[in-house]
Amino acid sequence: MARIAFGLGTSHGPMLSIPPEFWADRVSADRENPQHFFKGRTYTFNELVDVQREERLAEQITPQVCMERHARCQKAIRQLGDFFEEQKPDAVVLVGNDQMEVFTSDHIPAFAVFWGQYMEGHPRTPEFLAKLNRGVARAEADRTPPVYTQYPCLPDLGRHMIESVTADGFDVAQLKKLSVGEIGVNSAPHAYGFVYRRVMRDKVVPHVPVFVNTFYPPNQPPASRCFEFGRALARAIGSWPENWRVAVIASGGLTHFVVDEAFDARVLDAIRRGDASAFQGIPEEMFQSGTSEIKNWIVAAGAAAEAGLTMKLLDYVPCYRSEAGTGSAMGFAQWC
């Protein structure tokens, strides 16, 4: 029978791929955004500056601090990649989310499992990159392949997982081919592409992509439901007849586009303890915008807990880019 041998968790935000001297490029867009989610409420940029004044965040965005934190992130990603390479799993279940890359506002499943032969990876066209600011455009190299690529998947295991979690009470959507999403691509979403390139280092192991709708109301599954879904995925993997060592990888998070170190600490502690009840007490208002991607980690945490694994946090790096606290908190972890 198959078993979950280990798990990994990684952030995938653009600030991981952009030299720190370009981090401030996004601040002009931060200033124009009238709705920043933070601690269950929304704020304008100037309101966030006032709310966070006592945090002295200007000290967190000096060139020296940004360079040090960027370097820590790169070290942690290398550790994840080295560990993955050493472990040589037979299969991977990769948990991520879509941001209108393959879905549209007319069709967004709460949970979905891909069971096609392969996920497609398309290089970005110059026209597409021209629409992005220079920092995000640079980050695309860590998310998309330089040439058209077919990333190998596991149709039989994917189908088995769909049937198993359905019998376990989860009505999942199924995908055998990526559609063209609202932003006009049918390439593997960046949550997956980052793992292919930076963790698997372009040596992609046959895998089953799992989608969680973390971003888009009204059918975002609550955190506690995500944990139970992860447990169901683990049971599905455990009932697969092949003697495979399977890795579960979560891509996304942590808090962004406003960093909330206290909330990250609370959730990471619950994940480390594998405490299902802890997620029931967290209001959904806390899991909005980019912060919602923490739910991908919670799915992996449920799978790891079912498999008897414990999380080891390799590093937690709050990467600020403005005195309002905008930026991304980066997390990197192993379950063993």
Side-chain angles (χ1 to χ4, degrees):
M1 306 294 280
R3 65 181 181 91
I4 298 177
F6 67 94
L8 301 178
T10 181
S11 297
H12 63 229
M15 292 173 74
L16 293 174
S17 309
I18 300 170
E21 58 265 30
F22 294 119
W23 284 3
D25 283 4
R26 180 65 185 267
V27 175
S28 58
D30 291 339
R31 292 182 183 277
E32 294 171 4
N33 183 355
Q35 197 173 58
H36 290 281
F37 287 94
F38 182 60
K39 294 187 181 297
R41 289 186 50 196
T42 60
Y43 298 85
T44 66
F45 184 91
N46 290 336
E47 288 171 342
L48 278 173
V49 172
D50 290 337
V51 166
Q52 306 246 60
R53 197 171 300 280
E54 294 186 5
E55 303 298 323
R56 301 173 63 172
L57 294 180
E59 298 174 7
Q60 305 291 322
I61 57 174
T62 66
Q64 182 177 356
V65 170
C66 292
M67 289 177 62
E68 181 268 335
R69 294 187 179 178
H70 185 260
R72 281 171 56 189
C73 291
Q74 304 316 304
K75 178 182 177 181
I77 295 169
R78 287 194 297 271
Q79 287 178 282
L80 291 178
D82 289 346
F83 183 80
F84 183 84
E85 204 167 78
E86 292 164 2
Q87 292 296 311
K88 296 180 173 59
D90 299 297
V92 171
V93 173
L94 179 50
V95 184
N97 61 288
D98 175 67
Q99 292 180 31
M100 300 302 178
E101 292 139 300
V102 297
F103 296 126
T104 72
S105 54
D106 294 326
H107 177 219
I108 307 173
F111 296 116
V113 175
F114 185 90
W115 64 298
Q117 293 286 341
Y118 54 83
M119 290 262 275
E120 294 183 76
H122 294 274
R124 296 295 191 233
T125 65
E127 293 77 16
F128 183 90
L129 294 175
K131 300 175 184 177
L132 308 175
N133 71 45
R134 61 178 178 170
V136 175
R138 290 172 70 104
E140 287 298 300
D142 275 354
R143 304 170 168 197
T144 57
V147 297
Y148 174 75
T149 304
Q150 295 179 348
Y151 298 111
C153 293
L154 292 165
D156 292 342
L157 177 58
R159 175 168 181 159
H160 170 79
M161 289 171 59
I162 292 167
E163 293 172 342
S164 179
V165 299
T166 299
D168 223 348
F170 289 88
D171 299 322
V172 295
Q174 57 160 314
L175 296 86
K176 295 184 74 173
K177 186 176 182 180
L178 299 181
S179 57
V180 177
E182 207 155 280
I183 67 171
V185 298
N186 67 328
S187 187
H190 68 275
Y192 306 85
F194 183 86
V195 174
Y196 298 155
R197 303 227 66 195
R198 294 297 305 274
V199 177
M200 297 188 187
R201 297 169 176 169
D202 292 325
K203 294 174 283 190
V204 176
V205 171
H207 65 297
V208 177
V210 175
F211 291 79
V212 182
N213 175 27
T214 71
F215 257 85
Y216 302 107
N219 68 328
Q220 299 153 292
S224 57
R225 182 71 169 163
C226 289
F227 189 85
E228 293 305 320
F229 181 59
R231 294 181 65 184
L233 290 176
R235 290 190 288 271
I237 293 166
S239 63
W240 180 244
E242 299 290 343
N243 186 27
W244 287 353
R245 295 175 65 255
V246 179
V248 175
I249 302 178
S251 176
L254 299 174
T255 54
H256 67 291
F257 303 100
V258 182
V259 176
D260 186 344
E261 296 185 47
F263 183 64
D264 286 326
R266 175 184 178 183
V267 175
L268 287 171
D269 180 64
I271 288 174
R272 180 187 57 80
R273 292 184 286 113
D275 186 356
S277 64
F279 300 112
Q280 296 173 355
I282 304 176
E284 273 300 292
E285 289 77 13
M286 296 296 292
F287 292 106
Q288 300 302 317
S289 189
T291 297
S292 69
E293 291 179 344
I294 295 174
K295 290 180 177 178
N296 298 329
W297 282 55
I298 294 173
V299 171
E306 186 75 11
L309 307 180
T310 302
M311 187 189 80
K312 172 187 175 183
L313 188 65
L314 297 179
D315 208 350
Y316 171 79
V317 190
C319 296
Y320 293 95
R321 61 174 175 251
S322 80
E323 69 276 20
T326 57
S328 296
M330 308 299 186
F332 311 94
Q334 299 170 348
W335 283 270
C336 298

